[in-house]
Amino acid sequence: MMLPDPSVKYRPFVAVDLPDRQWPNQRLTQPPIWCSVDMRDGNQALIDPMDLERKRRFFEMLVKIGFKEIEVGFPSASQIDFDYVRELIDNDLVPDGVSIQVLTQARPHLIERTFEALKGAKKAIVHVYNATDPVFRRVVFNVDKPQCIKIATDATALIKQRMAECPETDWTFQYSPELFTSTELEFAVEIVDAVAATYGPTSDKPMIVNLPATVEIATPNHYADQIEWFCRHVAKRDSLIVSVHPHNDRGTGVAAAELAVMAGADRVEGTLFGNGERTGNVDIVTLAMNLYTQGVHPQLDFSNITPIMREVEHCNQLPVHPRHPYVGDLVFTAFSGSHQDAIKKGMAERRQHPDAMWEVPYLPIDPLDVGRSYEAVIRVNSQSGKGGVAYLLEEEHGIELPRRLSIEFSQVVQEVAERTGKEITSQMIYQAFADEYLDNTSPYALVNHRLSSEPDSPRVHLEAVIEERGSRETIHGTANGPLAAFIKALGAHGVSIEIIDYHEHSRGQGAEAEAIAYVEVRIDDKAVFGVGIDESITSASMKAVMGALNRHLATHKEAAPNVTAETLK
């Protein structure tokens, strides 16, 4: 049960004394150094840790994406990890320029086992850690501050010695004061300074200092304050690569990482899509694509993001949420009517100005940039409106509805959506359109027509054959155009139809192209729409009129006498 006063049980974080903080004025103009920890930190968080086959696939994918630093395991703690590290090295599977990283606790026998796993590696990062926060010092390990520092420096000295014994490897040393965010800042600097003094980094050969939010305990700005304070006070800052490793316990891991880089961090450790212990690690895909949307290339390639997601799902045996930023199945999808209308208009403007800056409402990024299509941008359910319906008809079926017809037809689709309670697919929308407007061939249908023109005159004469329930009648009309002549011919036989609005366009290209015509007509003082499709625009226009007439008769069964079968005979 939640406490009425949680302050009696939970202690709020204490703000960093940093009144002249500089990070809020910074902008991210270049990517950090990226390190994937999917195969170690992420792997340790899986219900079923990866076997060798899944590890191989994951590593190959990370290399293809462009990672230059990849934490491949915890070889001193797992035989599978040890064997996999050996496989990478023995089979020369690590490309030039890529460093493999391994983790070890600050214990001599585990460090020795780690170096056994790394023997013969081209480039390797040895990452050692020990817990530094006061609760772990007191409760878990029962050590004081000097003893905690000695654990770290002894491990550092042993690692430095083993590195010197294997000069064929290009080594990098990394130290993490685990639980940095809940460690006293002064002590975090003290222990890192002691480790650095033991290892002896230089500006040409720096060491990595990783400052993990092992458990996210505060707001992202607090983490940024901690990073900036640390960077100001640590010795040998120019010989350190400051790395962050945010977790996501408060749901703000991405923001914490971004602000930490603004505060001076050089490097980010995280996983693809945020897999990790509890609520996960920081999501490198989101971080990278956030940079991309601000015009900064992250130096990671997510041009075909869906296969990457599927591969991660296979290797982790965990699904990626459909709303996950940039990659989820629904992240580029709008169901809301107002959103759909704005997207439709934005995409129309984009087609007119394809080289302009990306400014499409509700879409922070062009789906094409990450290998996604526009097909799922707009989907229709009971929450949708005319914009979404019109967009799908236009994009997938080449039907460009006039505005008033779009409004009318959206009500047809809305009724279907509310009746079924489900999403309405593009094919369902087209079928509803065909049922409502294209298949209205009863009681009247256009059989054929013939046009002739008068010499030196814009007027044309139309002879058309109309069929009504198997009976055919030839009608005639003359006017300044084929459609006007058709209306005259119908009027001469007692059918009074007035054209209110007319639109036409081609559908398709080349020999397969069709013409589609839309008419809004007035019959018996009632407005009604009709649509016609034919290879000939003239035939399409006449079919549209006949469709409107049939729709009117179907809706108003007791129509005026001048709109009956008899009046056409």
Side-chain angles (χ1 to χ4, degrees):
M1 178 182 295
M2 294 183 69
L3 300 175
D5 180 12
S7 68
V8 302
K9 186 174 184 178
Y10 299 103
R11 182 183 299 110
F13 68 87
V14 178
V16 178
D17 183 15
L18 196 66
D20 61 338
R21 58 182 57 83
Q22 298 301 304
W23 63 261
N25 299 320
Q26 304 304 310
R27 292 189 60 201
L28 300 178
T29 58
Q30 62 183 24
I33 301 166
W34 303 109
C35 178
S36 161
V37 295
D38 290 91
M39 302 180 68
R40 194 277 305 171
D41 195 338
N43 187 48
Q44 287 179 302
L46 300 178
I47 299 170
D48 297 311
M50 284 183 268
D51 56 21
L52 291 177
E53 185 271 337
R54 283 190 283 160
K55 278 181 168 285
R56 293 184 195 107
R57 291 176 60 166
F58 213 121
F59 182 79
E60 290 171 1
M61 178 183 62
L62 292 171
V63 169
K64 187 175 182 181
I65 290 169
F67 283 94
K68 302 302 181 185
E69 296 183 2
I70 302 171
E71 192 167 78
V72 294
F74 200 148
S76 64
S78 164
Q79 187 61 45
I80 290 179
D81 281 14
F82 185 95
D83 292 343
Y84 182 63
V85 174
R86 289 310 319 157
E87 178 180 292
L88 287 173
I89 297 168
D90 292 339
N91 296 317
D92 196 21
L93 299 177
V94 183
D96 292 341
V98 173
S99 294
I100 56 173
Q101 177 172 305
V102 295
L103 184 70
T104 180
Q105 291 176 318
R107 298 181 180 180
H109 69 287
L110 298 180
I111 292 171
E112 298 290 1
R113 179 69 168 164
T114 299
F115 275 88
E116 287 179 34
L118 289 173
K119 185 174 178 59
K122 296 177 186 176
K123 290 172 65 71
I125 301 170
V126 178
H127 181 189
V128 66
Y129 72 96
N130 69 313
T132 56
D133 99 319
V135 174
F136 271 71
R137 295 196 311 261
R138 184 184 77 252
V139 176
V140 180
F141 298 113
N142 190 28
V143 297
D144 58 17
K145 288 181 179 179
Q147 290 171 317
C148 186
I149 292 173
K150 188 174 188 306
I151 292 171
T153 54
D154 285 353
T156 301
L158 178 57
I159 290 171
K160 180 179 180 180
Q161 178 183 342
R162 292 293 176 260
M163 287 179 172
E165 294 169 354
C166 303
E168 69 278 7
T169 299
D170 181 2
W171 296 106
T172 299
F173 174 62
Q174 175 170 330
Y175 171 69
S176 287
E178 191 190 11
L179 298 126
F180 163 77
T181 48
S182 51
T183 298
E184 309 94 322
L185 281 175
E186 294 82 358
F187 182 61
V189 167
E190 182 181 358
I191 196 169
V192 168
D193 282 346
V195 167
T198 302
Y199 183 73
T202 65
S203 57
D204 294 330
K205 189 64 175 176
M207 63 175 269
I208 300 170
V209 175
N210 191 52
L211 305 176
T214 311
V215 177
E216 191 176 34
I217 62 166
T219 53
N221 60 296
H222 179 71
Y223 191 41
D225 281 349
Q226 290 179 308
I227 299 301
E228 182 171 334
W229 193 97
F230 179 90
C231 290
R232 288 192 194 183
H233 290 83
V234 71
K236 297 188 174 182
R237 176 63 181 91
D238 63 345
S239 300
L240 306 179
I241 296 171
V242 174
S243 176
V244 292
H245 184 121
H247 279 248
N248 199 43
D249 298 87
R250 293 169 57 94
T252 57
V254 167
E258 290 177 325
L259 299 190
V261 174
M262 292 166 61
D266 309 300
R267 181 179 184 265
V268 174
E269 292 188 347
T271 59
L272 301 186
F273 314 123
N275 175 48
E277 294 281 12
R278 304 180 308 280
T279 56
N281 288 281
V282 69
D283 174 16
I284 286 183
V285 177
T286 300
L287 287 171
M289 296 312 301
N290 284 355
L291 284 173
Y292 185 81
T293 64
Q294 298 301 300
V296 179
H297 199 291
Q299 302 305 311
L300 296 175
D301 187 2
F302 296 112
S303 299
N304 204 3
I305 205 165
T306 300
I308 292 173
M309 175 181 67
R310 300 304 178 209
E311 187 75 342
V312 171
E313 288 180 324
H314 167 78
C315 291
N316 285 344
Q317 298 292 292
L318 290 173
V320 173
H321 196 281
R323 299 289 184 191
H324 197 101
Y326 300 108
V327 68
D329 290 334
L330 296 177
V331 297
F332 297 118
T333 300
F335 288 102
S336 162
S338 60
H339 289 206
Q340 292 175 341
D341 186 59
I343 291 172
K344 178 178 180 291
K345 292 172 181 175
M347 295 297 286
E349 182 182 76
R350 181 72 185 172
R351 283 192 289 271
Q352 295 176 0
H353 307 285
D355 297 325
M357 299 296 285
W358 179 260
E359 291 181 324
V360 176
Y362 298 111
L363 292 179
I365 187 174
D366 186 347
L368 296 181
D369 286 2
V370 289
R372 302 284 287 272
S373 71
Y374 294 137
E375 292 179 5
V377 168
I378 288 179
R379 290 163 63 176
V380 172
N381 62 15
S382 61
Q383 303 299 305
S384 306
K386 65 183 185 303
V389 172
Y391 177 88
L392 288 178
L393 281 178
E394 181 176 345
E395 288 295 313
E396 300 190 28
H397 302 285
I399 298 173
E400 303 172 15
L401 297 183
R403 177 172 173 77
R404 285 196 295 275
L405 177 55
S406 175
I407 295 171
E408 178 183 281
F409 179 56
S410 69
Q411 295 170 353
V412 175
V413 177
Q414 179 81 4
E415 189 278 328
V416 175
E418 291 180 349
R419 185 177 70 249
T420 63
K422 296 180 179 180
E423 179 185 353
I424 306 301
T425 66
S426 168
Q427 188 56 43
M428 292 169 66
I429 291 173
Y430 179 78
Q431 190 59 55
F433 182 79
D435 292 344
E436 184 71 23
Y437 299 103
L438 300 179
D439 297 338
N440 279 291
T441 58
S442 178
Y444 301 116
L446 176 69
V447 178
N448 57 53
H449 71 275
R450 184 172 64 187
L451 293 170
S452 60
S453 59
E454 300 178 7
D456 302 320
S457 172
R459 296 171 66 78
V460 296
H461 178 73
L462 170 78
E463 179 182 291
V465 178
I466 301 296
E467 181 175 283
E468 190 270 325
R469 296 187 181 92
S471 177
R472 295 189 176 187
E473 180 81 5
T474 301
I475 60 175
H476 301 268
T478 301
N480 289 339
L483 185 57
F486 186 56
I487 297 299
K488 281 285 186 70
L490 292 174
H493 285 73
V495 181
S496 177
I497 297 178
E498 177 188 353
I499 300 291
I500 301 174
D501 198 12
Y502 174 85
H503 295 271
E504 65 178 53
H505 63 82
S506 62
R507 182 184 182 216
Q509 296 180 341
E512 302 298 323
E514 296 177 308
I516 182 166
Y518 313 88
V519 296
E520 184 179 7
V521 302
R522 182 175 288 112
I523 304 174
D524 294 336
D525 293 325
K526 295 180 175 63
V528 61
F529 287 99
V531 183
I533 297 178
D534 196 275
E535 294 179 0
S536 159
I537 187 59
T538 300
S539 296
S541 302
M542 294 179 186
K543 287 181 177 180
V545 171
M546 298 304 282
L549 176 59
N550 289 330
R551 291 187 69 236
H552 175 78
L553 292 174
T555 305
H556 304 88
K557 295 185 183 297
E558 297 183 4
N562 66 329
V563 189
T564 65
E566 293 301 320
T567 61
L568 287 179
K569 295 182 180 179

